């Protein structure tokens, strides 16, 4: 396929020796959309595959850049699809934002200003941080009179920005003031995804647009806690004392999931059950090669069981 | 001042030979805030200076990245301050957006979607283009039901983004759909300023935040028509058949006004009546040197007149 390219790049091999992969891995990190489900439909063989991995003592972690829900709220989606997944197994970027603040011992007497939805607030609450903003600021407007000044809380030590369908100028200005004027104020992004899947009828402008707005007004770059930043992998490795080479990232997107795994020093498995086709993987234009690819995660099941 | 720097960079000289500068220039481009006025206060000697330059047959152009007003609306600010400036002398970035579309013969059967305020709509109207969006979309919300799809007009051939205090997710998604899905759709920014001066009590998040949001969701870079892009200079040079070396850009900001002038191949004069101090200009950290600097534009007046 790459024969007319001057540099022949080896394309990732199909996963053949399943047992060897499973034996070498302590933790499987799964992207959700395109791996576990597609829209609102579970992908074939997922429950059996997860059960099998659990029976072998593997740790399972479900990673999503969706910050609109907390881990608990996100768990309901798994429940609805008949999957039994504990909330401690879900790493949503809303949780990652709170976990990051914990990891740096963000002071409990400082506040977090949130541009985003309910999930971020819920995770900050659980982590014991002071916070405000979010949906409550969705209807706020700026009344411009000559000399008008927007006051802001000088105790805000971090602004967390995620996807926010109630995004407005009030929030942009408030967050900008905190980042620009409060010494040392952190600028944290849950993710910079260009698109998100609010509904499966079309692609929707993602968290990257809210983050881009704040970058434009502050001239600062955020610290990103969701994919493809490696914060979640570092966190897992620290929290559970596992080596990153014993983590396998399983995803359907080359430039987010697989890159995320590689950036973190993990094994990587691409599944073709989502947006990436075999042609795309093997195209000479593609420079991101996972360790292995396979059709879907149920390929991890022993052949007999998969045929049931 | 730069003696402890290993590379001695010559700092710009103070303007001494005023007549030589005036004689060599056909058109003076003035930034407004910090040059003509400060907030709502006219800077000393401005009316006399403009009169003197006009009496010598110089073309005067007032350049502003403010896109919320049309040229006509912006002209009222001059009038209020007692300056008689024609609207054809005002180059607001709202006008620049319409002028750019004219310059590329943007088809009259295509439409322009506007994320921005009234000034852009007014200039598009004057230029005879079809447009929609702007303030009318400020209250629109997205009602999310499963399977919901936002329809968009496939006839939109350009999205113009400027400062918009009624910015919301509806506009982000609408503009993103046009840019991403309409073949050849242009993405035009009036400016990418981090800050704007809605009121003089504080700095406000500028047009850069609206533009940054669209960059984040489209993964595209805009064509910028305001400063520091050289579109306005190119336009002037073409429209009036003048050489850019006969244009002098007068401004108070090094990284916008002076850089803008230099990018366009013009002469540059920094005035210290705005945000830049002599120390900032002469700091070893500053790499942008105008051709000359002076205190304020009334230094262009003959010494006797200035002493009046």
């Amino acid at each position: 396929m790459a024969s007319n390219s001057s540099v022949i790049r080896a394309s990732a091999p199909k996963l053949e020796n399943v047992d060897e992969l499973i034996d070498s891995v302590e933790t499987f990190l799964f992207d959700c959309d395109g791996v576990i489900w597609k829209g609102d439909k579970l992908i074939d063989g997922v429950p059996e595959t997860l059960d099998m991995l659990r029976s072998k003592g593997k740790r399972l972690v479900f990673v999503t850049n969706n910050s609109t829900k907390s881990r608990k709220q996100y768990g309901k989606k798994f429940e609805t699809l008949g999957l039994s997944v504990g909330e401690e197994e879900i790493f949503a970027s809303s949780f990652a934002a709170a976990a990051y603040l914990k990891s740096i011992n963000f002071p409990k007497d400082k506040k977090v200003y949130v541009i985003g939805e309910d999930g971020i607030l819920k995770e900050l609450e659980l982590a014991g941080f002071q916070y405000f903003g979010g949906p409550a600021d969705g209807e706020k407007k700026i009344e411009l009179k000559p000399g008008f000044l927007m006051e802001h809380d000088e105790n805000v030590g971090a602004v967390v920005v995620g996807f926010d369908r109630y995004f407005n100028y009030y929030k942009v200005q408030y967050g900008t003031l905190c980042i620009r004027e409060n010494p040392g104020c952190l600028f944290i992004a849950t993710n910079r995804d260009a698109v998100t899947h609010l509904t499966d009828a079309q692609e929707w402008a993602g968290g990257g647009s809210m983050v881009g707005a704040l970058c434009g007004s502050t001239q600062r770059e955020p610290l990103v806690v969701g994919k493809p930043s490696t914060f979640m992998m570092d966190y897992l490795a620290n929290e559970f004392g596992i080596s990153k080479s014993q983590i396998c990232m399983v995803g359907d997107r080359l430039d987010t999931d697989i890159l995320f795994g590689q950036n973190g020093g993990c094994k990587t498995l691409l599944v073709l059950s989502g947006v990436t086709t075999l042609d795309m993987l093997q195209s000479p234009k593609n420079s991101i090669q996972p360790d292995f690819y396979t059709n879907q995660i149920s390929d991890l099941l022993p052949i007999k069981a998969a045929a049931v």
Side-chain angles (χ1 to χ4, degrees), chain A:
Chain A
M1 202 139 206
S3 58
N4 58 357
S5 165
S6 57
V7 179
I8 311 283
R9 191 171 20 232
S11 181
K14 189 165 195 317
L15 177 65
E16 300 287 355
N17 198 332
V18 172
D19 289 344
E20 192 177 67
L21 176 69
I22 294 179
D23 289 347
S24 71
V25 166
E26 199 267 358
T27 297
F28 282 88
L29 247 62
F30 292 104
D31 174 44
C32 298
D33 201 32
V35 179
I36 304 297
W37 57 67
K38 239 186 149 166
D40 285 331
K41 215 171 147 271
L42 201 62
I43 289 173
D44 282 349
V46 164
E48 301 88 317
T49 311
L50 301 185
D51 286 348
M52 178 274 292
L53 291 172
R54 282 191 212 282
S55 74
K56 296 202 172 192
K58 305 301 171 186
R59 185 194 316 276
L60 307 185
V61 175
F62 301 87
V63 184
T64 171
N65 269 357
N66 189 323
S67 68
T68 63
K69 296 187 173 79
S70 65
R71 298 216 271 185
K72 190 170 188 164
Q73 292 167 317
Y74 213 67
K76 295 209 175 108
K77 169 134 194 178
F78 286 89
E79 211 179 292
T80 311
L81 292 170
L83 293 173
S84 136
V85 166
E87 57 185 86
E88 71 290 349
E89 293 176 311
I90 300 168
F91 274 49
S93 64
S94 51
F95 170 76
Y100 175 75
L101 291 171
K102 261 191 164 170
S103 77
I104 59 163
N105 293 315
F106 184 77
K108 295 280 163 108
D109 61 344
K110 287 270 184 186
K111 295 177 195 164
V112 182
Y113 181 68
V114 179
I115 297 177
E117 303 199 4
D118 198 39
I120 300 172
L121 304 183
K122 286 236 167 22
E123 294 293 353
L124 291 172
E125 174 78 36
L126 276 173
F129 292 115
Q130 295 185 65
Y131 60 88
F132 63 106
D137 285 354
E139 293 295 327
K140 289 193 180 160
K141 290 196 169 60
I142 289 167
E143 284 178 47
L144 280 183
K145 298 161 214 156
F148 177 73
L149 175 115
M150 181 194 263
E151 303 280 356
H152 77 283
D153 189 331
E154 289 172 8
N155 236 352
V156 170
V159 175
V160 174
V161 184
F163 176 78
D164 187 343
R165 82 200 77 180
Y166 311 106
F167 192 54
N168 61 20
Y169 186 63
Y170 178 95
K171 297 182 185 187
V172 174
Q173 175 65 1
Y174 201 100
T176 300
L177 285 174
C178 294
I179 293 169
R180 216 159 45 194
E181 300 192 3
N182 292 0
C185 182
L186 303 170
F187 173 17
I188 297 171
T190 60
N191 70 81
R192 300 190 77 161
D193 294 354
V195 301
T196 189
H197 297 96
L198 283 189
T199 69
D200 50 14
Q202 69 182 172
E203 292 197 318
W204 293 85
S209 50
M210 291 81 208
V211 175
L214 272 284
C215 291
S217 57
T218 62
Q219 310 264 285
R220 287 253 305 265
E221 286 298 300
L223 188 142
V224 181
V225 294
K227 294 181 283 182
S229 128
T230 61
F231 167 71
M232 283 197 267
M233 254 140 348
D234 300 338
Y235 179 88
L236 277 169
N238 282 335
E239 193 82 351
F240 302 109
I242 40 178
S243 150
K244 290 189 211 160
S245 64
Q246 288 191 301
I247 300 176
C248 180
M249 173 67 206
V250 185
D252 72 319
R253 284 181 190 263
L254 292 163
D255 59 352
T256 55
D257 300 322
I258 300 306
L259 197 60
F260 166 66
Q262 289 175 341
N263 286 345
C266 303
K267 290 192 172 66
T268 53
L269 173 63
L270 177 80
V271 289
L272 303 177
S273 49
V275 298
T276 306
T277 62
L278 188 58
D279 276 357
M280 287 157 73
L281 171 67
Q282 295 179 337
S283 159
K285 287 182 192 154
N286 169 40
S287 61
I288 302 170
Q289 294 294 338
D291 291 320
F292 305 102
Y293 78 89
T294 196
N295 290 318
Q296 47 186 28
I297 66 166
S298 61
D299 295 343
L300 295 174
L301 290 170
I303 290 167
K304 271 186 220 167
V308 168

